[in-house]
Amino acid sequence: MTSSSETSGGGDIVRTLELLWDTGRRPSRGPKPALTLDRIVEAAVQVADADGLDAVSMRRVAGELGTGAMSLYRYVPGKAELLDLMLDRVQKPSENPADLGDGDWRSALEALGRATLALYRRHPWLLQVNQSRPILGPSALDGMEKVLTLIKPMGLTDPELVSAIIMIDGYVVGAARTQLYQQEVERRTGLTDAEFWQAQVPTLEKVMASGRYPVLAALSDDAFGTDFDHFEFGLQRILDGLEVIVSRRRTEQ
């Protein structure tokens, strides 16, 4: 699943934007299309969710829709543009206000972090896509607008507000990728995480008893336990750090 990488914005940028924002010219005559762009994008997302991004091709998507590959090109130029439509589809923000936190900036960023992690868990193929230059469709801008509205009261400069969002996203991507790698290696090796670490216990016990690693040897039994929520701990520390600068800016006013 992580063996290859795709890049957003790799197709015809102008045509992709037309499709995302529905600003392209539509034929006024002729038979009613048998497919819709919406159905094509949804089918592509389902293929990626089931079999990974490598499985997404115009031929495979057409097969899922019961048609020929050439018929898809009436709606979308190719896989590169289709990928950007897929990205916009899955990243559509929730319409439920409760999913954006309790109304203050901290709960908004906290909700953003958790929602983003859940997004990568639902669609792990997103981690294969280089989104350093994203095509800005409705979902991307809707999500940004909602979050910025809630965190504007932080009192930071505009670049700093954007940076706060980037910071959260970068942290979540790292955590999600680590979780994905753990799932992949278990599937490939057949060893569960517990079995993998248990296999190292005899050697590590001898090493710890040697006196070479006194600090490690003195750690509590639960130091590397699975009950500790490392993601939540890290997310809260990032928010604590932002709390410091927000408080400082308010005292400077």
Side-chain angles (χ1 to χ4, degrees):
M1 182 175 295
T2 56
S3 59
S4 66
S5 178
E6 300 280 355
T7 302
S8 63
D12 184 328
I13 297 174
V14 173
R15 182 60 182 139
T16 300
L17 287 169
E18 288 177 347
L19 292 170
L20 283 169
W21 291 99
D22 195 21
T23 58
R25 295 181 60 184
R26 297 182 181 181
S28 58
R29 297 181 180 181
K32 182 179 181 180
L35 294 174
T36 64
L37 183 61
D38 190 67
R39 285 184 61 200
I40 294 170
V41 176
E42 184 61 32
V45 169
Q46 291 176 358
V47 170
D49 287 346
D51 299 319
L53 197 56
D54 289 342
V56 178
S57 66
M58 300 297 275
R59 182 180 298 276
R60 170 68 185 275
V61 174
E64 295 293 323
L65 293 168
T67 188
M70 292 305 296
S71 64
L72 266 61
Y73 290 100
R74 293 181 57 195
Y75 302 85
V76 60
K79 182 180 176 180
E81 293 81 5
L82 179 58
L83 175 61
D84 283 312
L85 299 177
M86 293 166 62
L87 293 173
D88 192 71
R89 166 63 63 89
V90 301
Q91 297 184 71
K92 184 177 181 179
S94 172
E95 297 296 331
N96 184 0
D99 293 337
L100 296 175
D102 298 329
D104 60 39
W105 69 263
R106 179 165 182 139
S107 65
L109 290 178
E110 187 175 8
L112 174 65
R114 292 172 181 164
T116 305
L117 181 62
L119 175 68
Y120 285 124
R121 285 173 172 169
R122 290 194 304 273
H123 309 289
W125 53 270
L126 284 170
L127 294 168
Q128 290 179 254
V129 184
N130 178 346
Q131 297 188 60
S132 59
R133 296 198 302 185
I135 299 291
L136 299 178
S139 293
L141 294 188
D142 286 351
M144 184 72 77
E145 178 74 12
K146 289 181 178 181
V147 175
L148 283 173
T149 299
L150 291 170
I151 69 173
K152 189 73 174 176
M154 292 175 75
L156 305 182
T157 65
D158 289 346
E160 289 171 340
L161 289 173
V162 173
S163 186
I165 296 175
I166 293 174
M167 188 189 313
I168 297 294
D169 184 70
Y171 171 70
V172 175
V173 167
R177 183 170 284 117
T178 296
Q179 292 180 6
L180 177 62
Y181 286 165
Q182 290 173 339
Q183 294 169 2
E184 281 193 344
V185 74
E186 183 170 324
R187 183 170 57 253
R188 290 179 180 178
T189 65
L191 281 177
T192 66
D193 213 41
E195 291 169 339
F196 172 79
W197 292 111
Q198 185 60 37
Q200 299 188 60
V201 168
T203 298
L204 292 177
E205 286 181 339
K206 293 178 181 178
V207 171
M208 290 301 113
S210 70
R212 182 173 179 176
Y213 304 102
V215 176
L216 281 169
L219 291 176
S220 61
D221 293 338
D222 64 347
F224 296 99
T226 57
D227 292 335
F228 189 83
D229 192 336
H230 294 281
F231 173 80
E232 190 64 28
F233 180 82
L235 178 61
Q236 295 303 325
R237 301 299 72 78
I238 291 174
L239 297 175
D240 286 345
L242 289 171
E243 190 91 57
V244 171
I245 190 171
V246 168
S247 298
R248 183 184 303 159
R249 291 293 169 80
R250 287 173 178 170
T251 58
E252 292 173 351
Q253 292 178 352

